[in-house]
Amino acid sequence: MSSWKKAAKTNQKVHRERAQPAAREHLGLLEKKKDYKLRAKDQHQKDATLKLLRKRALNKNPDEFYHHMINAKTEQGEHHELDKDHSHSKEQIKLMQTQDIKYLSMKRTMEANKIQRMQSRLHMTDVVNETPNKHIFFVEDDQEAAQFDLANRLDTHPDLIGRRTNRPRLQDLEKLPLATASPEDIERINYEREKSYGELKRRIEREKELTIAQKTLEIRRVLKEKRALKPKRVLKGTANRAPVFKFKFERKR
């Protein structure tokens, strides 16, 4: 590119977009062309969708059969879904839902009992040792604090200071028989321990899922009861939480 073209390019006028006049500032920002193009494109898509739906409605044959006609009907211009289970009455359906809640409650109780037994057997020693904690010792003066020996104060071996559970004293260590274990035995014991902790974690998660499912079914059963005031939903149900509703106070007879 020649020097003349470079000079012409650098000296060209910069065209800026027109701002909203001061008398029209209360109307908001001035719509630019790019904004108008987006708004027009969106409007054209909506018009095309309405046109297609209108065409389908005109071409629809009211006598044509489709499978959803079995489970739906139109009453006074309103579409209603039919109950798919026509072989049971409302009382029978309510009884089956109650049995489902009782079944979930039974399974959740079984899981809770298994979790309690596993926790009592494993003692959760690893979790206790990893949990941060403080133990304050009081001394008489600075000289005693400088010469303070934690192993001597606890009357145990220095290698056992990090253990908060099953920390034997020196006199108890002298009475314990020394047992030798091969590396294979130690590896097998660690594997069994990790396997037990993994099973405990899965059972805790399952017990939590059963609790959420039970609460959700109970809320659905309560919502089907006839009430003068409709409850208000506070929180929507998720995979980790049952829905929460706020009920108005109603005086019972």
Side-chain angles (χ1 to χ4, degrees), residues 16 19-20 38 78 82 84 99 137 195 204:
R16 297 186 176 89
Q20 182 74 283
L38 293 175
E78 294 182 1
L82 298 179
K84 297 182 180 180
Q99 292 177 351
F137 294 94
K195 184 178 179 181
I204 292 175

Side-chain angles (χ1 to χ4, degrees), residues 13-62:
K13 185 178 179 180
V14 178
H15 297 276
R16 297 186 176 89
E17 293 183 345
R18 184 169 65 93
Q20 182 74 283
R24 296 174 57 86
E25 287 183 354
H26 65 281
L27 300 176
L29 297 176
L30 181 65
E31 186 182 39
K32 306 301 188 296
K33 184 176 182 180
K34 60 179 182 179
D35 302 325
Y36 166 77
K37 290 174 65 177
L38 293 175
R39 186 167 58 85
K41 183 180 179 180
D42 181 67
Q43 184 64 34
H44 292 160
Q45 290 179 351
K46 293 179 179 178
D47 293 341
T49 302
L50 291 176
K51 184 178 180 181
L52 178 62
L53 294 177
R54 193 177 294 108
K55 182 178 179 181
R56 289 180 180 178
L58 292 175
N59 295 334
K60 180 181 178 181
N61 183 8

Side-chain angles (χ1 to χ4, degrees), residues 140-184:
E140 296 294 338
D141 49 17
D142 296 339
Q143 182 180 359
E144 186 179 354
Q147 299 175 356
F148 183 78
D149 187 3
L150 182 59
N152 189 19
R153 183 66 176 269
L154 296 176
D155 191 18
T156 186
H157 195 273
D159 295 338
L160 302 178
I161 293 178
R163 300 180 61 178
R164 298 176 185 168
T165 58
N166 192 17
R167 185 194 295 146
R169 299 178 180 271
L170 291 176
Q171 56 183 358
D172 297 330
L173 288 175
E174 295 176 356
K175 300 177 182 179
L176 292 176
L178 296 178
T180 59
S182 62
E184 292 78 9

Side-chain angles (χ1 to χ4, degrees), residues 111-163:
E111 289 293 335
N113 293 334
K114 290 179 181 178
I115 290 171
Q116 186 177 3
R117 287 196 297 268
M118 292 188 67
Q119 287 178 344
S120 62
R121 185 174 71 252
L122 294 174
H123 299 294
M124 307 298 289
T125 55
D126 293 343
V127 179
V128 173
N129 291 331
E130 293 176 0
T131 303
N133 197 1
K134 292 183 179 180
H135 193 161
I136 301 176
F137 294 94
F138 296 93
V139 295
E140 296 294 338
D141 49 17
D142 296 339
Q143 182 180 359
E144 186 179 354
Q147 299 175 356
F148 183 78
D149 187 3
L150 182 59
N152 189 19
R153 183 66 176 269
L154 296 176
D155 191 18
T156 186
H157 195 273
D159 295 338
L160 302 178
I161 293 178
R163 300 180 61 178

